[in-house]
Amino acid sequence: MVCSPAHIASQIRERGFRLTPQRMAILNALHESGDHLLPLEIFEKASASLPGITEPTIYRTLDFLVENGFVSVTHVRGRRLEYELTQHKHHHLVCSVCGLEEELSHEWLQPFRDQLEQITGFSLTEDQITFTGLCRHCK
Amino acid sequence: MVCSPAHIASQIRERGFRLTPQRMAILNALHESGDHLLPLEIFEKASASLPGITEPTIYRTLDFLVENGFVSVTHVRGRRLEYELTQHKHHHLVCSVCGLEEELSHEWLQPFRDQLEQITGFSLTEDQITFTGLCRHCK
DNA sequence: TTATGTGCAAAGCATTTGCACGCTT
DNA sequence: AAGCGTGCAAATGCTTTGCACATAA
């Protein structure tokens, strides 16, 4: 179970990959923000701690981290995807009027996940969930 | 409750928007495919029934349809978003190894949706859900 | 020492924008 | 007749790729 940049770092090595300053800078950027970020935002934050890092590296590293399950892709709104550490097991609840965004804990959905595994035969590793609606103020 | 291109068409007019051949071509393309499509795929399918339709129109129309809740945005895999008629109330279950994709019915989630509305005070209108895992064959 | 991972620079595309015209209402 | 919505063409800018070099192991 993934849980922090340091822990992911050791996982990366354990799986036989190299631990580079670029990968750490990106993991730290995501961790410090604690939020979902656009590739450009990740580039800017990572640049602060590691000047010289380039955008191609951001994209290649994100692909690498997603493939290995350390980072998750999220679609909240608009036509852009965002990235966040997989450790933040939560989902999104967005108001379509004012944009208010709340988090939904992972545990909350666990009963459903269990039921789903039983019926479909799948063994679930990730999920990407966004609910959209009107918040208490806007409805 | 949205349910077919024809029904969406009347909704569009009811809300004071214009019903154009382009909007219908896009709705029909999504309906006939019955699946989630990339903007380019929508462009190609819509072009078949309405030669001359352009890509900017695809994007503007998709934005319009999404804003009005007729179409939903989905992220299944990779770095691209796909679109589908909101009427197809289902979600995705994807195998990360072989890519097998199954559908999850909307009704499944209804109890959770009800509970969620009660707890958060939100009034839900849409949801975008993708579960990823290993299917029965790959695990 | 080795070959993985990054920087650099350029190419490739998806997406957006401005403006004039056509078409729905 | 009026103005919303589209076509056209170009601009934008995100994302990808090839290649040589640096560096983690």
Side-chain angles (χ1 to χ4, degrees):
Chain A
M1 174 59 178
V2 177
C3 55
S4 73
H7 186 254
I8 295 175
S10 62
Q11 286 281 313
I12 287 176
R13 272 204 262 249
E14 255 178 51
R15 299 190 194 181
F17 298 112
R18 291 186 183 174
L19 186 61
T20 64
Q22 290 82 353
R23 287 176 176 175
M24 281 314 292
I26 290 171
L27 288 171
N28 286 325
L30 289 168
H31 178 70
E32 280 155 25
S33 141
D35 199 5
H36 41 83
L37 299 175
L38 294 166
L40 179 61
E41 296 171 327
I42 296 171
F43 171 63
E44 287 165 352
K45 287 184 191 297
S47 293
S49 68
L50 188 70
I53 193 173
T54 62
E55 281 174 296
T57 295
I58 302 293
Y59 289 105
R60 286 184 288 218
T61 302
L62 286 175
D63 284 344
F64 165 79
L65 294 170
V66 169
E67 269 167 32
N68 283 276
F70 300 126
V71 163
S72 305
V73 185
T74 298
H75 166 62
V76 177
R77 46 176 34 211
R79 219 191 291 286
R80 297 249 168 290
L81 292 169
E82 307 190 319
Y83 297 81
E84 65 190 356
L85 284 191
T86 299
Q87 81 181 101
H88 293 129
K89 287 282 190 183
H90 69 261
H91 307 289
H92 306 282
L93 192 55
V94 183
C95 177
S96 54
V97 174
C98 68
L100 172 71
E101 205 177 292
E102 293 194 1
E103 289 189 4
L104 245 173
S105 89
H106 189 71
E107 288 63 37
W108 204 84
L109 275 167
Q110 197 53 52
F112 176 74
R113 207 176 280 112
D114 292 341
Q115 205 179 337
L116 191 59
E117 289 195 326
Q118 214 169 35
I119 292 183
T120 63
F122 268 64
S123 166
L124 300 178
T125 53
E126 293 169 59
D127 36 44
Q128 201 280 296
I129 299 174
T130 302
F131 286 97
T132 306
L134 304 179
C135 73
R136 352 178 209 316
H137 314 295
C138 296
K139 74 182 180 186
Chain B
M1 175 57 180
V2 177
C3 56
S4 74
H7 186 254
I8 295 175
S10 61
Q11 286 281 314
I12 287 176
R13 271 203 262 250
E14 255 177 52
R15 300 189 192 180
F17 299 110
R18 293 186 182 173
L19 186 61
T20 64
Q22 290 82 351
R23 288 176 176 174
M24 281 313 292
I26 291 172
L27 289 171
N28 285 326
L30 289 168
H31 178 70
E32 281 156 23
S33 141
D35 199 6
H36 40 84
L37 299 176
L38 294 166
L40 178 62
E41 295 171 327
I42 296 171
F43 171 63
E44 287 165 353
K45 285 183 190 301
S47 291
S49 68
L50 189 69
I53 193 173
T54 62
E55 281 172 295
T57 295
I58 302 294
Y59 289 105
R60 287 184 286 219
T61 302
L62 286 174
D63 284 343
F64 165 80
L65 294 171
V66 169
E67 269 165 33
N68 284 277
F70 300 127
V71 163
S72 305
V73 185
T74 297
H75 166 63
V76 177
R77 46 177 34 210
R79 219 190 291 286
R80 297 251 169 285
L81 293 169
E82 306 189 320
Y83 298 81
E84 63 189 356
L85 283 191
T86 299
Q87 82 183 99
H88 292 128
K89 289 282 189 180
H90 68 260
H91 308 291
H92 307 283
L93 191 56
V94 183
C95 176
S96 54
V97 174
C98 68
L100 173 72
E101 205 176 292
E102 293 195 0
E103 288 188 6
L104 247 172
S105 90
H106 189 70
E107 287 63 39
W108 257 91
L109 269 172
Q110 199 52 50
F112 293 85
R113 207 176 279 112
D114 291 342
Q115 205 181 332
L116 190 59
E117 289 194 327
Q118 217 166 34
I119 294 180
T120 63
F122 268 64
S123 166
L124 301 179
T125 53
E126 295 169 58
D127 34 44
Q128 200 280 294
I129 300 173
T130 302
F131 286 97
T132 306
L134 304 180
C135 72
R136 359 181 203 310
H137 313 296
C138 296
K139 77 181 178 188

